[in-house]
């Protein structure tokens, strides 16, 4: 079954996550009409090779043209033509970006499908997807609507106050215009009494409106402090978890709606206070409540507007390199990276340009980080209204690059006490503007970044990103790795499974995680609360091996992604199994039964072990030398399993691999993965590589 068909059969809550994947960058309409063709292309490879990405972009546009010509529905044909034009405008000069977007979408689809099939949640996922979230959000919706309604009801009250004041003003001026002789009459006394009554009522109404305004402002202040800010912080925590492979990030549009409605209420209250300021220019008196209370209320509404808009300035997409989209927050010097900021408040129509400036390592204290960097490319861009975000302002920096300063003030920069991959940096964003007389300084910051200068540092850099975002929600803590906290095995195992679901589309099951835990910590790993140190995870070598646990695991991830993905996702690889478990699984199986597992002694190696019956009738287990990327680049692993031969004691070579554990005929499991393409070089006959082992 195709991936897109599997998606369409998911429950509604998972379909909502899929809906979030698609926007103007990659419309769902394309995914629907070209689903089979899209899934048959290697977008992961294209995202790293511009020539291949250019060819795929051209082919995609051709496929769309063909679909348009065949489409009978006029509206659908019109939409497809528009999509075609938009894609040409957006990606003609940036084919790698298009390939990266599609690659990420397909990978996220696989992750959603995998998560739909895993009933159990880990501690981190539970923490960001608790069961009371829906009720809390529903309460937030109601509260924002009630506040909006209360503010709107103040408009007719202010208008009524204005009418009452105009009536008072007219009567007062009429009395003042009377002759002195007419001012001592009984009628005049009645008019003055009536005027005093109107003034008393006017004073009462002014106090009443100001009291209501004060109450509404207290309610808005409480809403921001008790719900809106916590919701924003929770979204940022979910963003952290998503960066290291966790659940798909949603909820920003909902936050934007709350921020915008709250801001609209505050702007409306400011206009109401401005109107009250105009009223007292015409009529005021001793102990006038507007004169006494308005300045304080005006300061309060300005403070709330300033605080709300500042809070709404967020990093929508954390910095990431298009060459490594699955590993955000790692930046390599000299390589372009992308990031995006967004203002969650939809501002009233304005005639100014809101410029955003990027600054690297603005908040790090001098001397804290020994290596220093500067941004090579333009650091300023103008925010623009984005249709896909319902009219809010955003800006995407697509071509930022870092360069390291080798000398600072004429002195050569030395390495600091921390390793390169443990130094944490940050990217800040600043903007200034004035709205309705309020000067607002915006600033937000990325999550901590690791800057590398060589691809070989990528493994250690990603370990740092995982460890930091798994264990803390602090936006900035440059000293984190000076004394890194320990992680529970429950937390770490969940994050490790996410790495597989992110890179391959299929996470790890309980048995696989148990084996990894035992490899890392020994038998005590059966308990989720067991503590793992940072050093044990990625700095200390595995006993008897020249590499750390994380390096061993990361090389396996790369091997799966580049050479084993189809058979991994088909559950053909048992993968993480100790030799003891391997023996327990195979010892009672018939000869020819085999299983596939990752090598514990080789970096990025996979081997197979099969059952051979000895002359005495006992089951003997034989393992082949592990295959690594160098050998798998020349011959697909499924073909190796199909064609593998063993020569023993001069006998006719035979394939000892008959049944995939626990007893599935080999061809039944692997036939769909065999590569049967043969070279045709006339007039020569084709040849085939056959892997052979000699058994003494």
């Amino acid at each position: 079954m195709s991936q897109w068909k599997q998606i369409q059969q998911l429950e509604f809550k998972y379909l909502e996550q899929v809906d979030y994947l698609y926007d103007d960058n990659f419309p769902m309409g394309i995914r629907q009409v070209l689903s089979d063709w899209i899934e048959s292309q290697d977008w992961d490879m294209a995202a790293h090779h511009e020539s291949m990405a250019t060819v795929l972009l051209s082919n995609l546009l051709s496929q769309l043209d063909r679909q348009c010509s065949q489409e009978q529905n006029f509206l659908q044909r019109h939409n497809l033509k528009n999509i075609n034009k938009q894609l040409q405008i957006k990606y003609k000069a940036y084919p790698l970006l298009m390939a990266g977007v599609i690659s990420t979408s397909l990978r996220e689809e696989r992750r959603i499908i995998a998560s739909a099939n895993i009933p159990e949640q880990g501690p981190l996922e539970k923490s960001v997807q608790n069961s009371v979230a829906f009720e809390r959000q529903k309460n937030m919706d109601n509260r924002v609507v009630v506040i909006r309604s209360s503010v709107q009801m103040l408009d007719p009250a202010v208008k009524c106050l204005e009418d009452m004041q105009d009536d008072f003003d007219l009567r007062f001026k009429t009395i003042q215009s009377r002759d002195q002789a007419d001012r001592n009459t009984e009628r005049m006394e009645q008019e003055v009494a009536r005027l005093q009554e109107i003034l008393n009522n006017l004073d009462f109404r002014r106090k009443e409106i100001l009291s209501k305004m004060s109450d509404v402002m207290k309610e808005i202040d409480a809403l921001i402090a008790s719900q809106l800010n916590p919701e924003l912080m929770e979204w940022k925590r979910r963003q952290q978890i998503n960066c290291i492979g966790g659940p798909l990030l949603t909820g920003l549009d909902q936050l934007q709606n709350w921020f915008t409605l709250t801001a609209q209420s505050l702007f409306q209250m400011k206009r109401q206070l401005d109107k009250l300021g105009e009223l007292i220019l015409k009529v005021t008196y001793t102990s006038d409540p507007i004169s006494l209370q308005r300045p304080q209320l005006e300061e309060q509404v300005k403070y709330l507007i300033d605080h709300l808009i500042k809070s709404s300035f967020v990093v929508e997409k954390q910095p990431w390199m298009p060459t490594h989209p699955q590993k955000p927050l790692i930046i390599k010097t000299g390589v372009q990276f992308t990031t995006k900021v967004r203002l969650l408040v939809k501002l009233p129509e304005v005639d100014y340009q809101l410029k955003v400036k990027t600054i690297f390592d603005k908040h790090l204290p001098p001397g804290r980080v020994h290596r220093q960097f500067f941004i090579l490319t333009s650091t300023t861009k103008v925010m623009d209204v984005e249709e896909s975000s319902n009219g809010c302002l955003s800006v995407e920096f697509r071509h930022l690059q870092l360069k390291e300063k080798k000398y600072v003030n004429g002195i050569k920069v030395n390495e600091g006490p921390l390793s390169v991959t443990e130094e944490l940096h940050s990217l800040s964003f600043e903007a200034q503007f004035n709205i309705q007389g309020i000067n607002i300084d915006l600033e937000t910051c990325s999550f901590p970044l690791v800057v590398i200068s060589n691809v070989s540092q990528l493994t250690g850099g990603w370990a740092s990103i995982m460890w930091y975002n798994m264990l803390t929600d602090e936006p900035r803590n440059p000293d984190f790795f000076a004394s890194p906290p320990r992680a529970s095995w429950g937390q770490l195992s969940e994050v490790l499974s996410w790495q597989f679901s992110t890179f391959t589309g299929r996470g790890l099951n309980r048995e696989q995680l148990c084996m990894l835990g035992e490899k890392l910590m020994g038998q005590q790993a059966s308990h989720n609360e067991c503590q793992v140190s940072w050093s044990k995870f990625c700095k200390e070598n595995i006993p008897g091996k020249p590499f750390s646990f994380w390096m061993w695991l990361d090389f396996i991830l790369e091997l799966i992604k580049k050479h084993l993905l189809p058979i991994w996702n088909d559950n053909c690889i048992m993968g993480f199994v100790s030799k003891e478990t391997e023996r327990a699984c195979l010892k009672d199986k018939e000869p020819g039964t085999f299983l596939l597992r990752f090598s514990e002694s080789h970096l990025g190696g996979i081997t197979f072990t099969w059952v051979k019956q000895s002359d005495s009738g006992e089951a003997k287990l034989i393992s082949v030398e592990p295959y690594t990327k160098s050998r798998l680049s020349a011959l697909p692993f499924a073909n190796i399993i199909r064609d593998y031969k063993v020569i023993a004691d001069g006998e006719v070579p035979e394939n000892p691999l008959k049944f995939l554990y626990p007893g599935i005929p080999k061809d039944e499991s692997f036939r769909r993965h065999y590569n049967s393409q043969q070279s045709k070089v006339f007039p020569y006959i084709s040849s085939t590589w056959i892997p052979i082992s000699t058994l003494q």
Side-chain angles (χ1 to χ4, degrees):
M1 185 185 299
S2 73
Q3 187 169 307
W4 188 242
K5 286 182 179 178
Q6 292 181 63
I7 287 289
Q8 292 172 316
Q9 294 180 6
L10 295 177
E11 296 178 19
F12 179 73
K13 64 178 181 179
Y14 296 108
L15 291 176
E16 281 188 314
Q17 295 181 31
V18 175
D19 182 61
Y20 186 78
L21 291 175
Y22 295 97
D23 53 21
D24 293 343
N25 291 322
F26 184 27
M28 190 179 288
I30 300 179
R31 183 68 179 95
Q32 173 70 28
V33 299
L34 300 180
S35 58
D36 291 339
W37 181 84
I38 287 172
E39 290 178 30
S40 67
Q41 310 304 312
D42 191 346
W43 298 101
D44 290 340
M45 180 72 73
H48 297 86
H49 297 85
E50 188 162 5
S51 58
M52 184 177 178
T54 303
V55 171
L56 282 184
L57 174 59
S58 176
N59 291 346
L60 176 65
L61 297 175
S62 298
Q63 291 284 336
L64 270 179
D65 283 336
R66 188 178 298 111
Q67 192 68 32
C68 284
S69 64
Q70 298 172 355
E71 182 58 55
Q72 300 299 316
N73 184 292
F74 171 77
L75 181 60
Q76 179 72 347
R77 187 165 64 248
H78 172 77
N79 290 338
L80 290 176
K81 285 182 178 179
N82 282 341
I83 289 173
N84 195 319
K85 291 178 183 176
Q86 291 171 8
L87 290 179
Q88 291 187 57
I89 293 170
K90 189 181 290 285
Y91 295 126
K92 189 173 183 181
Y94 311 110
L96 277 175
L97 186 62
M98 177 213 67
V101 167
I102 298 178
S103 170
T104 300
S105 298
L106 294 177
R107 186 177 61 255
E108 285 298 325
E109 283 183 6
R110 292 194 296 269
R111 195 194 61 75
I112 292 169
I113 292 170
S115 64
N117 295 323
I118 299 176
E120 212 174 300
Q121 290 182 322
L124 287 172
E125 189 167 351
K126 286 178 181 177
S127 71
V128 296
Q129 292 187 347
N130 58 67
S131 59
V132 300
F134 177 75
E135 286 300 321
R136 190 182 66 241
Q137 291 166 1
K138 188 176 178 181
N139 174 265
M140 184 75 170
D141 285 333
N142 294 335
R143 199 170 172 186
V144 169
V145 169
V146 168
I147 288 175
R148 192 83 190 95
S149 176
S150 299
V151 172
Q152 289 172 336
M153 288 172 64
L154 288 172
D155 271 351
V158 172
K159 183 64 172 68
C160 179
L161 187 65
E162 183 180 20
D163 293 342
M164 187 184 297
Q165 179 170 301
D166 287 344
D167 180 39
F168 172 85
D169 190 42
L170 179 62
R171 289 173 183 269
F172 181 78
K173 289 178 179 177
T174 300
I175 291 176
Q176 277 192 323
S177 66
R178 299 277 176 84
D179 293 335
Q180 190 66 34
D182 296 333
R183 296 191 177 185
N184 297 322
T185 63
E186 184 178 346
R187 181 183 174 186
M188 176 64 77
E189 290 178 0
Q190 291 176 350
E191 289 184 5
V192 169
R194 174 60 182 154
L195 193 64
Q196 183 62 49
E197 183 182 343
I198 293 173
L199 181 60
N200 292 341
N201 195 18
L202 186 66
D203 183 68
F204 175 78
R205 294 294 181 189
R206 285 185 171 185
K207 290 177 179 176
E208 184 180 47
I209 286 177
L210 290 166
S211 176
K212 288 181 179 178
M213 283 187 167
S214 179
D215 289 343
V216 173
M217 272 192 220
K218 288 177 182 176
E219 179 63 20
I220 292 176
D221 193 11
L223 173 78
I224 293 173
S226 67
Q227 284 189 276
L228 199 52
N229 281 344
E231 288 288 344
L232 179 62
M233 295 307 296
E234 186 169 313
W235 178 84
K236 289 182 178 180
R237 181 58 181 155
R238 292 201 305 272
Q239 188 183 36
Q240 273 189 286
I241 296 302
N242 174 255
C243 281
I244 57 174
L248 189 67
L249 183 63
T250 60
L252 194 60
D253 289 339
Q254 189 174 45
L255 267 174
Q256 175 185 297
N257 184 52
W258 293 334
F259 268 93
T260 296
L261 287 175
T262 305
Q264 287 173 349
S265 296
L266 288 169
F267 283 125
Q268 190 168 353
M269 291 191 74
K270 186 178 182 305
R271 291 192 296 272
Q272 292 164 353
L273 286 168
D274 290 343
K275 187 64 179 177
L276 293 182
E278 294 174 10
L279 294 183
I280 61 173
L281 295 177
K282 297 179 181 179
V283 175
T284 189
Y285 45 88
T286 305
S287 300
D288 183 349
I290 294 179
S291 299
L292 295 174
Q293 298 179 39
R294 179 178 167 274
Q296 182 180 352
L297 291 174
E298 190 172 42
E299 284 301 312
Q300 188 174 1
V301 78
K302 286 181 178 179
Y303 167 78
L304 290 174
I305 289 173
D306 178 73
H307 175 72
L308 188 73
I309 294 179
K310 283 181 177 177
S311 300
S312 77
F313 191 47
V314 299
V315 182
E316 181 179 356
K317 294 181 181 177
Q318 295 291 330
W320 60 283
M321 297 186 294
T323 54
H324 294 85
Q326 300 98 331
K327 293 183 176 179
L329 304 174
I330 297 181
I331 308 300
K332 183 179 178 293
T333 52
V335 174
Q336 291 185 353
F337 64 95
T338 296
T339 187
K340 182 180 180 182
V341 291
R342 178 167 161 184
L343 198 63
L344 298 181
V345 171
K346 185 178 179 181
L347 298 174
E349 292 295 330
V350 290
D351 57 356
Y352 54 81
Q353 290 186 328
L354 185 54
K355 294 182 179 180
V356 178
K357 182 179 181 182
T358 59
I359 305 172
F360 199 77
D361 275 349
K362 176 184 177 181
H363 293 285
L364 291 180
R368 183 68 58 82
V369 173
H370 287 249
R371 295 186 306 151
Q372 296 186 31
F373 303 89
F374 62 93
I375 299 174
L376 273 175
T377 46
S378 174
T379 58
T380 303
K381 284 190 75 172
V382 176
M383 297 192 89
D384 198 6
V385 174
E386 186 178 16
E387 292 182 7
S388 61
S389 63
N390 300 319
C392 275
L393 292 169
S394 66
V395 61
E396 187 167 17
F397 293 86
R398 290 186 176 178
H399 308 293
L400 297 174
Q401 279 190 56
L402 290 182
K403 184 174 178 62
E404 186 173 357
K405 296 179 182 179
K406 297 297 183 182
Y407 293 86
V408 177
N409 298 325
I411 301 173
K412 188 175 181 180
V413 177
N414 296 316
E415 291 188 4
L418 297 176
S419 69
V420 166
T421 56
E422 291 176 325
E423 280 189 2
L424 299 179
H425 304 263
S426 66
L427 185 65
S428 300
F429 304 87
E430 292 181 347
Q432 294 179 328
F433 70 106
N434 181 287
I435 183 167
Q436 296 189 12
I438 305 173
N439 292 317
I440 297 178
D441 295 323
L442 298 176
E443 182 177 336
T444 191
C445 191
S446 72
F447 294 145
L449 307 171
V450 169
V451 182
I452 62 175
S453 56
N454 193 293
V455 176
S456 63
Q457 298 166 336
L458 193 64
T459 296
W462 186 238
S464 297
I465 295 300
M466 287 192 299
W467 204 263
Y468 185 96
N469 290 287
M470 171 174 63
L471 296 177
T472 181
D473 58 3
E474 292 182 86
R476 287 189 296 268
N477 183 358
D479 293 329
F480 181 83
F481 284 104
S483 180
R486 291 172 173 261
S488 72
W489 174 242
Q491 291 172 311
L492 182 57
S493 62
E494 183 180 17
V495 173
L496 294 181
S497 182
W498 287 344
Q499 305 316 299
F500 283 82
S501 60
T502 298
F503 279 83
T504 72
R506 182 168 73 86
L508 302 178
N509 58 35
R510 184 175 298 177
E511 290 74 20
Q512 291 168 328
L513 289 172
C514 184
M515 182 272 175
L516 289 179
E518 290 179 0
K519 186 172 183 64
L520 182 61
M521 299 177 294
Q523 296 297 324
Q524 59 175 333
S526 58
H527 302 290
N528 279 340
E529 296 308 313
C530 290
Q531 299 293 301
V532 184
S533 71
W534 165 245
S535 181
K536 184 82 171 176
F537 174 62
C538 77
K539 301 194 77 173
E540 299 174 8
N541 285 344
I542 297 173
K545 304 293 187 297
F547 45 78
S548 69
F549 171 84
W550 168 242
M551 180 177 286
W552 171 75
L553 194 63
D554 193 47
F555 270 64
I556 288 173
L557 275 166
E558 283 295 312
L559 188 74
I560 294 174
K561 180 184 174 185
K562 293 180 179 178
H563 301 289
L564 305 173
L565 192 57
I567 60 176
W568 168 263
N569 285 331
D570 260 6
N571 251 336
C572 296
I573 302 175
M574 184 175 288
F576 300 104
V577 52
S578 65
K579 291 181 180 179
E580 293 75 17
T581 304
E582 176 186 71
R583 171 162 290 280
C585 291
L586 293 177
K587 66 178 182 179
D588 296 325
K589 295 297 179 181
E590 62 179 292
T593 303
F594 68 99
L595 58 78
L596 310 179
R597 65 175 177 84
F598 298 117
S599 171
E600 296 185 72
S601 58
H602 289 63
L603 275 179
I606 186 169
T607 183
F608 43 80
T609 300
W610 71 90
V611 179
K612 175 180 170 57
Q613 192 171 30
S614 66
D615 294 338
S616 62
E618 294 181 0
K620 182 180 181 182
L621 302 187
I622 302 175
S623 299
V624 72
E625 179 186 353
Y627 288 87
T628 57
K629 65 179 182 180
S630 59
R631 299 174 72 186
L632 295 177
S633 297
L635 196 60
F637 194 51
N639 284 26
I640 290 174
I641 292 171
R642 180 191 65 189
D643 301 328
Y644 181 73
K645 297 288 190 296
V646 169
I647 300 177
D649 298 328
E651 296 177 2
V652 176
E654 65 171 7
N655 191 328
L657 310 179
K658 308 296 183 185
F659 307 100
L660 179 65
Y661 179 84
I664 307 169
K666 175 183 65 180
D667 288 342
E668 186 178 317
S669 298
F670 293 96
R671 182 181 290 112
R672 68 173 71 84
H673 306 300
Y674 295 154
N675 182 353
S676 58
Q677 294 181 357
Q678 296 181 343
S679 60
K680 297 180 180 179
V681 185
F682 185 82
Y684 303 106
I685 61 173
S686 61
S687 60
T688 301
W689 289 93
I690 297 179
I692 296 178
S693 295
T694 301
L695 190 61
Q696 299 298 327

